[in-house]
Amino acid sequence: MKALMFGWEFPPHILGGLGTASYGLTQGMAAQGDMDITFVIPRPSGDEDTSFLRIIGAGDTPIVYRDVPYEYVRERLSGKMSPEMYYHLRDHIYADFSYRGTNDLGCFEFSGKYPDNLLEEINNYSIVAGVIARAEQVDIIHSHDWLTYPAGIHAKQVTGKPLIVHVHATDFDRSRGNVNPTVFGIEMDGMNQADHIITVSDLTRRTVIDKYHQDPAKVTTIHNAVTPLAPSILALPDRRGVKDKVVTFLGRITMQKGCEYFVEAAAKVLERTKDVRFIMAGSGDMMDAMIRLAAERNISDRFHFTGFMKGQQVYEVFKSSDVYVMPSVSEPFGISPLEAMQCGVPSIISYQSGCAEILSYAVKVDYWDIDAMADAIYALITYPEMHTFLKEEGLKEVNSITWEAAGRKVRAIYERYTR
């Protein structure tokens, strides 16, 4: 089974949960043995783990013919793409794009992030998808999140192969219902053109059916999972350097993530005890507002803003925490509580998160109920028996949630459309 997947992030260079989920799912699917996955991302760095799939960089794929020598191509694309693949792709340029701005190899330049000209990059990505789809023999096409839906649609049109779109989030989640009409249109078009839709939670499935008017029979929930931690991560020491308990929020500091409710709950906990510190790890458009809110609540001396963290840094924070809190207003899934639980950190999550559907040993509260959130935090830092119970049972539970199982469910959907 050959799958052509379109994504926007892939570890170790990620900006959110999309890259983590893409890595875990593809690794889990590769465990089946006969899965052959080609994964396209805008701008690979060359240090991605390609032991279980092949990565093609959209920014390394020519859309304009350039007569460039072999050695120059090898030098320019060192570690990212072989000259042979470059020339193979060049042979499948399907239109005259010489009027478009391209580099010396005839390729678009991609940021690999979420720039101000994101819509332009999405369109360029879909043009590149046409070259790759013509060059690759595949059985199915799989697009991860709205940024890649136009690419998936183009690849489907070129190959005639079935298209699966994987909804990791919708604009209703990101905007609290105040959707961007352009983004909504791209999402709707992707879902309408898809042969099948995968959602990461029943919460997201209901949004897809109710807000995007999709046939329920066309939409299947496959929950995310977690990748087992390496021994080196498990062995990381607690480096907090203080005797106080530590309660952590880790994620994008945006309204979707409920960051203000975390600050308000922290203030209530600090009315009852001073032996606790709060960490807000991440970055986002509400960071300055959260710094001001902490100052207004007079808790700045107990609050720490670390900025964006990735890779091992995330686990270093978890290993130095006693409680993890994810108070999301609308969270399609939310992998971070599972990662915290892998490190033995009890988690408090909102009922409005998809992972609440599969976690029995996490404390669940409504995101807006700061009193309940504060009570849960206080209980976990005050009563050792409760903390130990959730730590041990949570670890057992999360270790049973595997990407291999999720991959088998995805494969079952593939087979419905490729028989």
Side-chain angles (χ1 to χ4, degrees):
M1 176 76 73
K2 293 185 177 181
L4 175 60
M5 287 194 185
F6 293 98
W8 205 258
E9 299 181 14
F10 202 81
H13 305 285
I14 60 174
L15 297 170
L18 178 60
T20 302
S22 297
Y23 177 86
L25 181 62
T26 51
Q27 189 178 47
M29 294 182 72
Q32 296 168 21
D34 63 340
M35 276 301 310
D36 182 348
I37 301 171
T38 296
F39 199 93
V40 183
I41 54 176
R43 185 179 177 178
S45 297
D47 55 353
E48 294 83 6
D49 181 0
T50 57
S51 62
F52 56 91
L53 48 57
R54 180 175 56 159
I55 288 179
I56 294 179
D60 304 321
T61 300
I63 57 118
V64 174
Y65 187 93
R66 294 279 190 267
D67 187 12
V68 284
Y70 185 96
E71 288 301 324
Y72 183 72
V73 173
R74 184 169 66 177
E75 180 182 340
R76 283 278 277 106
L77 300 181
S78 175
K80 296 189 292 181
M81 181 184 288
S82 69
E84 289 78 10
M85 174 58 80
Y86 171 84
Y87 293 124
H88 172 60
L89 292 167
R90 192 184 67 175
D91 289 341
H92 291 85
I93 295 171
Y94 57 93
D96 181 7
F97 292 109
S98 58
Y99 66 96
R100 304 298 296 260
T102 57
N103 63 17
D104 56 331
L105 294 179
C107 305
F108 284 127
E109 297 283 354
F110 288 92
S111 68
K113 299 180 181 178
Y114 301 89
D116 291 338
N117 68 329
L118 180 59
L119 292 175
E120 180 185 358
E121 290 210 354
I122 290 170
N123 181 62
N124 290 346
Y125 188 76
S126 70
I127 291 172
V128 172
V131 174
I132 296 171
R134 285 168 172 80
E136 296 298 297
Q137 296 296 315
V138 299
D139 300 304
I140 200 153
I141 298 154
H142 190 150
S143 283
H144 290 274
D145 231 27
W146 71 278
L147 308 116
T148 73
Y149 293 171
I153 292 170
H154 192 179
K156 176 183 177 177
Q157 292 169 340
V158 167
T159 63
K161 299 300 182 180
L163 170 63
I164 310 298
V165 300
H166 205 131
V167 184
H168 295 263
T170 71
D171 207 46
F172 281 90
D173 302 301
R174 292 183 289 267
S175 67
R176 288 190 186 176
N178 185 27
V179 295
N180 179 315
T182 302
V183 175
F184 177 80
I186 293 172
E187 291 176 326
M188 178 71 89
D189 194 35
M191 295 179 199
N192 288 342
Q193 296 292 329
D195 293 273
H196 203 85
I197 301 166
I198 296 173
T199 58
V200 295
S201 64
D202 290 331
L203 183 73
T204 305
R205 182 175 184 270
R206 288 193 295 271
T207 299
V208 166
I209 293 168
D210 296 341
K211 303 295 187 182
Y212 296 84
H213 315 296
Q214 299 299 312
D215 180 356
K218 183 181 173 180
V219 191
T220 300
T221 294
I222 299 178
H223 291 101
N224 285 336
V226 282
T227 302
L229 296 181
S232 60
I233 298 295
L234 291 171
L236 287 172
D238 181 338
R239 292 194 176 124
R240 73 184 70 191
V242 294
K243 294 181 180 179
D244 298 328
K245 300 293 185 181
V246 174
V247 180
T248 295
F249 168 108
L250 188 147
R252 286 181 290 112
I253 304 177
T254 63
M255 64 179 180
Q256 180 193 349
K257 299 297 183 180
C259 48
E260 67 267 40
Y261 301 103
F262 178 71
V263 178
E264 296 287 10
K268 287 185 173 292
V269 172
L270 287 165
E271 291 174 0
R272 300 163 73 174
T273 177
K274 296 299 181 185
D275 299 329
V276 56
R277 295 173 185 260
F278 293 85
I279 291 175
M280 183 166 277
S283 60
D285 58 11
M286 289 186 68
M287 177 180 272
D288 289 346
M290 293 304 98
I291 293 172
R292 288 195 298 270
L293 182 58
E296 289 168 7
R297 296 294 178 266
N298 200 29
I299 60 174
S300 295
D301 61 328
R302 297 272 115 188
F303 227 94
H304 305 269
F305 294 88
T306 68
F308 179 73
M309 302 191 124
K310 66 178 182 178
Q312 183 171 307
Q313 293 175 319
V314 170
Y315 294 102
E316 288 173 348
V317 170
F318 287 150
K319 283 287 190 174
S320 299
S321 301
D322 297 285
V323 179
Y324 177 70
V325 183
M326 188 183 75
S328 296
V329 174
S330 179
E331 186 71 52
F333 185 77
I335 290 178
S336 57
L338 282 70
E339 294 173 328
M341 292 163 70
Q342 282 182 303
C343 294
V345 183
S347 292
I348 300 168
I349 60 178
S350 69
Y351 282 116
Q352 292 74 24
S353 59
C355 64
E357 298 167 9
I358 61 169
L359 292 177
S360 299
Y361 293 99
V363 179
K364 302 168 192 177
V365 299
D366 288 306
Y367 72 86
W368 45 261
D369 194 342
I370 58 175
D371 289 312
M373 197 183 304
D375 286 345
I377 294 170
Y378 182 79
L380 283 168
I381 64 175
T382 305
Y383 303 112
E385 294 82 3
M386 179 181 180
H387 188 278
T388 299
F389 175 77
L390 287 178
K391 173 181 178 177
E392 294 176 351
E393 295 303 318
L395 182 59
K396 292 178 190 175
E397 179 174 55
V398 77
N399 283 341
S400 70
I401 302 171
T402 68
W403 282 116
E404 286 81 0
R408 287 191 294 271
K409 293 176 183 177
V410 172
R411 175 64 177 271
I413 291 173
Y414 284 3
E415 290 179 347
R416 287 167 55 181
Y417 295 93
T418 57
R419 287 176 182 149

